[in-house]
Amino acid sequence: MAGHPSSFVVDLVWGPHLPPPRLPVSCLTAEEQAVELQRVQQRRAADTAYEAELILGMAGERPAKDDPAPGTPGARRSGWAVDEGYAGVSEFFTAELSMVLNLGRRTAGHRYARASTWARKLPRTLAALAAGELDERRASELADVLQHTNADVAGQVEDALLPEATELSVHRLRNRATELMVELDAAAADERRKDAEKTADVHVHPSAVDGRSTLAADLPTDEAVECADIVDQLAKILKADGDPRRIGALRAHVLSLLIRRPADNGLPSVSADVRVTADLDSLGGTSGAAGEVNGLPITATHVRELLARVGALGLTTPEGGTLSFAVTGPDGELLATLTPADLDRLARRGCTTHPDSECSCPVTGPPPETEAYEPTDRQRAFVTTRDRRCRFPNCGQRVGWADLDHVIPAACGGATDCANLCCLCRSHHRLKTFAPGWRFAMTDDGVLTVTTPSGVTRTTRPPGMRPPPAETAPQPPPPADDPPPF
């Protein structure tokens, strides 16, 4: 370009990703395999640094000025968990990042916080990561420890530990970084405790054994130690009284009883909300289809044992509980939710068109549309049974904490109808309503499609619905004859 010696053109082409050529592992000696493993670790470190730069680049395109201002509808409310934005970045960015990475919001938030800490406080650590000189795990430990201290203290800890970081075990590196940080900035340690108290929660994680899960609570260390000691003492008393179970099983049993049957703790009496989802054939023993307890998978045998335990094997309403039936179609799509009284009434009434003959006419279906903004009780029962949890990709918050959202807003003509309602947790409901650039669409059977401002689209199906069969590409017909040369 004459007259513009400093001008240049960059031509970027995105094509299919081709992995680097690699020799089969069977062709490598043990020494060569060890060298190749180290190379893989170096490439992973460099990719992690590049990922951090990409995350921060995207974050820079999502300014906080686009979020609802304090005192306006949709603004942050104190006391509720919100995603953290750094350096003026939108609180909704973490949700978009979780969509892009196809990961849970907590994992996406951790990667965003890690990238921000490396860039703002630990630039030499980020450079070592990009060069493959420091592995991802050790770089992450430094970021986790130094996230809440100031850049000056973080830099001093980095200067002291980075030269020897690869020679220290991961555990030792974390301890040394924590010791130095506390020496230089005790206030940062207090800040970490305050932040941990704000975000403390109780979580249920499915274990590797079907039908069992882990209940975890984030507590102050003194309270956690006290709780564990009380549980241990009570378990030892049961063991001394002759209970044959292992001491660990007794501890788990004691903890469950203390929570489900509290006494003298000053808390009001409550009943647990336990939602059991089971296939009717599984209850009768003619199918092995798995069921769910509050979204956690359990086997058909466990379903039958559970229902027998609460007195519901005969399909009667358990004492103090409720019983409803979900009628599904051939692909698992929800067609109707019915109580035992509904079933009895429909069985007696039958088909109004063919009252004296057997027919296949439907006698029930989804609750009808309402002209009101608030969903009816029957609509709420249908949608929560269909969705079971927040439908935002990779969220899964249980329906007890979810709102029923109009996918097409009522202000835009969206109907209060089950085909236009879905469960969204409060955080993702706010995002859909107030974050610019997001698009939500849902089919009549509840398949939800979400598109981010950056153009990433993900689809979630109601948990019980099976995906459509994969379409196979038509094969060309065989040639009539072999073409030359023969």
Side-chain angles (χ1 to χ4, degrees):
M1 298 177 63
H4 298 278
S6 62
S7 301
F8 60 93
V9 176
V10 177
D11 186 16
L12 292 177
V13 178
W14 281 270
H17 176 71
L18 298 177
R22 297 169 180 169
L23 288 173
V25 175
S26 59
C27 296
L28 302 176
T29 65
E31 290 78 8
E32 291 168 337
Q33 290 173 8
V35 170
E36 188 63 15
L37 278 173
Q38 291 177 323
R39 289 175 179 167
V40 168
Q41 190 175 36
Q42 291 172 341
R43 289 195 297 268
R44 183 177 294 131
D47 283 345
T48 299
Y50 185 48
E51 176 192 80
E53 294 180 36
L54 290 171
I55 289 173
L56 296 177
M58 279 192 64
E61 301 295 327
R62 302 290 179 259
K65 65 180 180 61
D66 294 335
D67 295 348
T72 64
R76 294 184 185 217
R77 293 176 56 188
S78 61
W80 290 87
V82 292
D83 296 323
E84 185 173 1
Y86 300 93
V89 176
S90 169
E91 64 171 295
F92 300 118
F93 171 67
T94 304
E96 181 176 3
L97 183 61
S98 76
M99 284 271 292
V100 173
L101 299 178
N102 200 20
L103 297 170
R105 192 171 57 187
R106 286 179 178 273
T107 304
H110 175 263
R111 293 198 184 183
Y112 172 36
R114 184 180 69 175
S116 181
T117 302
W118 284 335
R120 294 184 297 120
K121 301 178 182 180
L122 302 170
R124 291 177 55 208
T125 298
L126 182 59
L129 191 68
E133 299 169 358
L134 184 67
D135 59 275
E136 177 185 0
R137 180 69 188 278
R138 287 176 171 80
S140 295
E141 292 293 339
L142 288 175
D144 289 346
V145 171
L146 301 171
Q147 176 182 348
H148 295 287
T149 192
N150 60 63
D152 181 60
V153 171
Q156 293 182 59
V157 176
E158 183 182 55
D159 290 342
L161 294 182
L162 190 58
E164 61 172 341
T166 57
E167 306 302 322
L168 297 172
S169 68
V170 173
H171 179 73
R172 180 59 180 154
L173 177 64
R174 184 180 184 89
N175 284 350
R176 289 276 292 121
T178 302
E179 291 168 0
L180 286 173
M181 187 268 292
V182 171
E183 289 177 11
L184 296 169
D185 185 10
D190 292 332
E191 188 65 26
R192 285 165 62 88
R193 280 194 294 273
K194 292 177 182 177
D195 287 339
E197 183 178 355
K198 294 176 185 176
T199 59
D201 206 344
V202 175
H203 301 280
V204 178
H205 307 286
S207 67
V209 179
D210 289 336
R212 297 193 67 83
S213 296
T214 299
L215 177 68
D218 182 9
L219 298 170
T221 299
D222 57 317
E223 290 185 19
V225 170
E226 183 180 1
C227 290
D229 186 62
I230 290 173
V231 167
D232 185 58
Q233 290 183 52
L234 293 174
K236 289 177 179 176
I237 291 174
L238 293 179
K239 192 70 174 177
D241 288 342
D243 195 307
R245 287 174 288 182
R246 295 177 62 249
I247 189 67
L250 289 174
R251 293 191 190 105
H253 174 67
V254 166
L255 179 62
S256 175
L257 288 180
L258 288 174
I259 294 174
R260 293 185 297 115
R261 301 176 187 174
D264 300 327
N265 56 18
L267 296 176
S269 177
V270 295
S271 298
D273 177 17
V274 179
R275 296 169 181 252
V276 180
T277 305
D279 182 273
L280 191 59
D281 289 336
S282 296
L283 296 182
T286 59
S287 168
E292 288 185 353
V293 173
N294 282 20
L296 300 173
I298 59 176
T299 65
T301 300
H302 191 175
V303 169
R304 290 192 290 271
E305 292 175 354
L306 178 61
L307 292 179
R309 200 174 76 201
V310 298
L313 186 59
L315 299 183
T316 58
T317 304
E319 182 180 355
T322 60
L323 176 65
S324 63
F325 297 90
V327 181
T328 60
D331 293 324
E333 69 276 19
L334 183 63
L335 302 178
T337 51
L338 304 166
T339 66
D342 294 330
L343 279 178
D344 181 66
R345 183 175 63 256
L346 291 172
R348 286 186 284 105
R349 187 186 71 178
C351 175
T352 56
T353 305
H354 307 93
D356 299 324
S357 62
E358 295 290 334
C359 69
S360 58
C361 297
V363 294
T364 187
E369 176 184 338
T370 178
E371 295 183 358
Y373 175 78
E374 288 293 330
T376 65
D377 290 343
R378 295 183 69 88
Q379 286 177 325
R380 189 172 297 277
F382 182 92
V383 175
T384 55
T385 299
R386 182 195 68 195
D387 291 353
R388 305 184 197 173
R389 53 187 69 94
C390 173
R391 292 291 306 285
F392 191 88
N394 292 302
C395 179
Q397 179 67 264
R398 60 190 178 90
V399 294
W401 284 88
D403 300 330
L404 260 62
D405 174 64
H406 291 71
V407 179
I408 300 175
C412 299
T416 305
D417 184 79
C418 293
N420 189 47
L421 294 170
C422 76
C423 290
L424 290 178
C425 69
R426 182 59 54 86
S427 175
H428 289 128
H429 192 174
R430 289 179 59 247
L431 175 146
K432 176 182 175 295
T433 305
F434 298 104
W438 289 80
R439 299 193 302 276
F440 286 66
M442 193 175 73
T443 60
D444 290 348
D445 55 2
V447 178
L448 181 69
T449 300
V450 181
T451 303
T452 71
S454 50
V456 175
T457 297
R458 301 206 182 275
T459 298
T460 67
R461 309 177 69 81
M465 185 185 295
R466 290 178 286 276
E471 295 184 3
T472 56
Q475 298 296 319
D481 229 336
D482 288 337
F486 304 103

